[in-house]
Amino acid sequence: MVAGRGAIFFVAMELEDALRELAAGTEKLDLGGKCRTPEDVRRLADALKVNTSLTVLYLGNNHIDNEGAASLADALKVNASLTELNLSDNDIDAEGAASLADALKVNTSLTTLNVYRNDIGAEGAASLADALKVNASLTELNLYDNKIGAEGAASLDDALKVNASLTK
């Protein structure tokens, strides 16, 4: 049990270090596997709301769920520096995708969003497609392994008919 507590403490310390780096003006941050609780994600999202230097954020493999996606989406609505966000290998489904889509409708800095290997499905793809119809900054969107099916693909196809910025 002590080893488990030590591991939790170590991860918590890594998050604290990352938040200090963020406050100090770092441009790239890799928190893959280090943002383990909804509270961790909320604290990071709160920091992103006032950050003006971070351009790349990797949050893969963190078990981020819809609550975490909503927290990050709230930050994306006001953050103007982040250009790349990687949320691969998390637990985001259609609800979380809808939150991210709402943020994409107003965010003008994000150029790359990676949500590879989540559970977005057709409904989540439709939400993202609606956002793509008005978003002019996103150039790359990775939806691989999200079970979007033919219905989700059709929604995205419709969006691509009016979106001029997405290239990948």
Side-chain angles (χ1 to χ4, degrees):
M1 255 349 242
V2 174
R5 285 189 206 158
I8 291 169
F9 177 74
F10 182 70
V11 169
M13 287 305 294
E14 288 179 333
L15 180 61
E16 291 303 320
D17 290 343
L19 291 172
R20 278 193 287 281
E21 284 182 41
L22 192 58
T26 193
E27 293 179 5
K28 296 181 181 183
L29 200 53
D30 181 346
L31 286 173
K34 296 178 179 109
C35 231
R36 292 294 188 180
T37 69
E39 176 64 16
D40 290 344
V41 178
R42 188 196 55 74
R43 290 179 61 217
L44 176 63
D46 286 347
L48 286 174
K49 288 177 183 176
V50 296
N51 180 272
T52 59
S53 62
L54 191 69
T55 59
V56 178
L57 179 57
Y58 178 76
L59 289 172
N61 196 30
N62 275 302
H63 304 287
I64 293 172
D65 60 8
N66 295 329
E67 180 182 346
S71 293
L72 291 168
D74 286 344
L76 287 175
K77 289 176 183 176
V78 295
N79 180 285
S81 64
L82 197 64
T83 59
E84 295 181 34
L85 177 59
N86 187 319
L87 293 170
S88 60
D89 278 317
N90 280 293
D91 299 321
I92 300 168
D93 66 20
E95 181 183 336
S99 295
L100 293 170
D102 285 344
L104 289 176
K105 290 176 182 176
V106 296
N107 180 283
T108 59
S109 64
L110 201 66
T111 60
T112 302
L113 177 61
N114 183 346
V115 288
Y116 164 81
R117 197 179 288 158
N118 279 276
D119 195 20
I120 288 171
E123 185 181 341
S127 295
L128 290 168
D130 285 342
L132 291 176
K133 290 176 183 176
V134 296
N135 179 285
S137 62
L138 204 64
T139 59
E140 185 173 343
L141 176 63
N142 185 344
L143 287 168
Y144 183 75
D145 203 8
N146 270 287
K147 302 173 189 130
I148 65 169
E151 184 181 341
S155 296
L156 291 164
D157 183 55
D158 287 344
L160 292 176
K161 290 174 183 168
V162 296
N163 180 291
S165 64
L166 202 63
T167 58
K168 288 185 182 179

